[in-house]
Amino acid sequence: MRHDKQQLNYVLFLIAGSGLVTIARATTLSFLAIKLQQSFGLGPAMIGALLGIGPLVGAVTAPFAGSLSDRVGRKTVMTFTLLSMALALIGMGLAETVLAFCIAQIVAAVALAIYEPISRALMSDVCPEPLRLKYFSWRYTATNVGWAVGPLIGIAAGATSTTLFVIAGVVYAMFALVLHMLNVPIYQYDDISKAPASTPLLESLKAAIRDPRLAFFLGGGTLLIAVYGQWSATLAPYLTGNVAGGMEIYAYLVSINGVAVLIGNPFARRFIQGAGALNGLVIGCMLFVFGEIGFLSAAGFWGLAASMVVFTLGEILVVPCEYMLVDDISNERNRGSYFGAHSFSTIGNFIGPTLGGAMLSAFGGPGMFLLFAGFAAISAILFAIGTRMPPPIAAARQSSTGTSLPPAQPARFDLPGTL
């Protein structure tokens, strides 16, 4: 019982830390597109390409980190990642040229691509399975407190303020220090770290190849992240270039996104538990479609605000559902590899701003918003197909690899959790 209490306290620490660093992130990274547009005079296509390079590198790097965390521990990888993020934020604040700014931004994007799957895997390691949906939802709520508060702080202090970037870097460094000092209360930790060694990237690729379900989840997740992962990189240039007072409206929309998550997340948890992860994800995809069409047809602030609420409802359904589907097909030994391999989907953070920015430059808002609506619809189809694929029976029998899968059985889509 004492150990269980330590585990839950550690999960609460991770949740609080995620909320704190998200505030630091939201006060700075929310305005990167506007900074590149106003400070360096770049157009939508170039902004999208520059902001997409970092996530592209991160998509390749994250599987290494995911498998590495299975061997050396999540805490070690997370601490290094948070320190890298701290240095990158300070670098962006002090950068005086586009090149220096973009190098620091790439480091930050890679750090974020690594941090997300590793932090989720760590929470799964520590948190008892029946409580995972509950505490993961709390984590998602905490991060969106940051997204609700951060942009308003950024606007008040100045979206391009050097001081904000430096303060944000210090916050990340403090979280890294405390994380390093605390012990991780996991019974299975030693077993995980002593799993047979293998090349991290190859193990992640093998996991994806052996499990067709993960391959379809990867394809669907890539398209979903293209829609919601970096929507600020495309929506911000659209608003500032096509709507009066676009910068202020954009900041309010980011805050509306965060507030809508805070209000809607408890209801979303109950809905997911009753409807199942797959149904919740498909409905979330459809809400993305309606939200994108709403952005396209909105004539003013209130139309944009309503569309953002619809878009956010899709987000609060999709994010936990996708997490639970991936968690369901993994186990304690291969969870880092599965989440690491699935993090290839963060390539969507490159596809979204790059293709979206190109469509915005070539065809305006209609081309960009319809592209994202199509991505959301296709993603729902891919996830539906993936859940009907059988588990990799042959791989399940290869216990000598150290990444053995559970005995073949249909994937479950009910979400255990105490609400």
Side-chain angles (χ1 to χ4, degrees), residues 59 83 99 102 123 162 173 181 293 301 309 326 340 372 378 412:
L83 289 175
L99 178 61
C102 288
M123 283 193 63
T162 297
M181 294 173 62
I293 295 175
F301 170 76
V309 171
V326 176
F372 290 147
I378 295 173
R412 68 181 188 277

Side-chain angles (χ1 to χ4, degrees), residues 198-338:
S198 57
T199 305
L201 178 59
L202 292 180
E203 281 302 316
S204 295
L205 291 175
K206 288 178 183 178
I209 292 172
R210 283 196 291 258
D211 198 330
R213 299 168 297 179
L214 184 61
F216 277 95
F217 293 170
L218 175 60
T222 299
L223 294 181
L224 280 181
I225 291 180
V227 174
Y228 76 82
Q230 286 213 89
W231 56 263
S232 61
T234 48
L235 186 60
Y238 169 78
L239 293 175
T240 55
N242 296 274
V243 179
M247 181 175 177
E248 290 74 17
I249 290 177
Y250 164 74
Y252 285 124
L253 291 181
V254 176
S255 293
I256 288 172
N257 175 265
V259 172
V261 170
L262 294 177
I263 296 175
N265 204 37
F267 300 99
R269 289 205 311 269
R270 290 173 171 81
F271 177 81
I272 294 169
Q273 190 179 35
L278 177 61
N279 291 333
L281 187 139
V282 170
I283 292 173
C285 289
M286 295 301 100
L287 290 172
F288 277 148
V289 172
F290 296 143
E292 295 293 342
I293 295 175
F295 287 136
L296 171 61
S297 58
F301 170 76
W302 292 110
L304 291 167
S307 300
M308 177 55 70
V309 171
V310 173
F311 183 92
T312 304
L313 292 176
E315 185 181 352
I316 61 179
L317 289 176
V318 161
V319 173
C321 288
E322 185 177 2
Y323 164 80
M324 294 302 296
L325 289 173
V326 176
D327 182 74
D328 189 68
I329 62 174
S330 66
N331 58 45
E332 288 77 6
R333 282 188 175 275
N334 62 25
R335 184 170 291 121
S337 294
Y338 263 56

Side-chain angles (χ1 to χ4, degrees), residues 9-280:
N9 287 338
Y10 193 85
V11 171
L12 293 176
F13 159 71
L14 293 177
I15 292 172
S18 294
L20 183 63
V21 296
T22 301
I23 293 177
R25 176 184 173 189
T27 58
T28 53
L29 302 190
S30 297
F31 302 97
L32 292 185
I34 293 176
K35 181 176 177 62
L36 289 172
Q37 183 180 47
Q38 296 186 351
S39 298
F40 300 106
L42 302 181
M46 183 59 68
I47 291 173
L50 291 177
L51 294 183
I53 292 174
L56 177 62
V57 178
V60 177
T61 306
F64 281 95
S67 291
L68 183 63
S69 73
D70 284 335
R71 303 168 64 200
V72 304
R74 321 277 190 226
K75 185 177 77 170
T76 301
V77 177
M78 277 187 62
T79 300
F80 177 78
T81 299
L82 289 167
L83 289 175
S84 299
M85 185 67 184
L87 294 175
L89 284 167
I90 294 173
M92 281 188 282
L94 300 177
E96 297 181 353
T97 65
V98 175
L99 178 61
F101 186 88
C102 288
I103 291 175
Q105 189 273 331
I106 289 172
V107 174
V110 172
L112 288 173
I114 295 173
Y115 170 78
E116 284 301 321
I118 301 303
S119 62
R120 293 175 184 178
L122 179 58
M123 283 193 63
S124 290
D125 289 339
V126 178
C127 189
E129 182 177 354
L131 300 178
R132 284 178 189 166
L133 175 61
K134 173 183 177 180
Y135 283 102
F136 180 77
S137 297
W138 284 12
R139 176 186 182 274
Y140 189 56
T141 300
T143 59
N144 279 277
V145 170
W147 287 114
V149 174
L152 300 180
I153 296 175
I155 284 291
T160 60
S161 171
T162 297
T163 303
L164 278 180
F165 281 90
V166 174
I167 293 175
V170 171
V171 170
Y172 269 87
M174 291 176 60
F175 185 31
L177 177 62
V178 177
L179 180 69
H180 176 71
M181 294 173 62
L182 295 178
N183 292 323
V184 183
I186 306 176
Y187 284 119
Q188 305 92 334
Y189 186 75
D190 290 337
D191 293 335
I192 294 174
S193 65
K194 294 177 182 177
S198 57
T199 305
L201 178 59
L202 292 180
E203 281 302 316
S204 295
L205 291 175
K206 288 178 183 178
I209 292 172
R210 283 196 291 258
D211 198 330
R213 299 168 297 179
L214 184 61
F216 277 95
F217 293 170
L218 175 60
T222 299
L223 294 181
L224 280 181
I225 291 180
V227 174
Y228 76 82
Q230 286 213 89
W231 56 263
S232 61
T234 48
L235 186 60
Y238 169 78
L239 293 175
T240 55
N242 296 274
V243 179
M247 181 175 177
E248 290 74 17
I249 290 177
Y250 164 74
Y252 285 124
L253 291 181
V254 176
S255 293
I256 288 172
N257 175 265
V259 172
V261 170
L262 294 177
I263 296 175
N265 204 37
F267 300 99
R269 289 205 311 269
R270 290 173 171 81
F271 177 81
I272 294 169
Q273 190 179 35
L278 177 61
N279 291 333

Side-chain angles (χ1 to χ4, degrees), residues 346-369:
T346 58
I347 197 174
N349 282 323
F350 169 77
I351 295 173
T354 302
L355 292 185
M359 293 294 285
L360 180 59
S361 294
F363 304 105
M368 181 180 71
F369 292 128

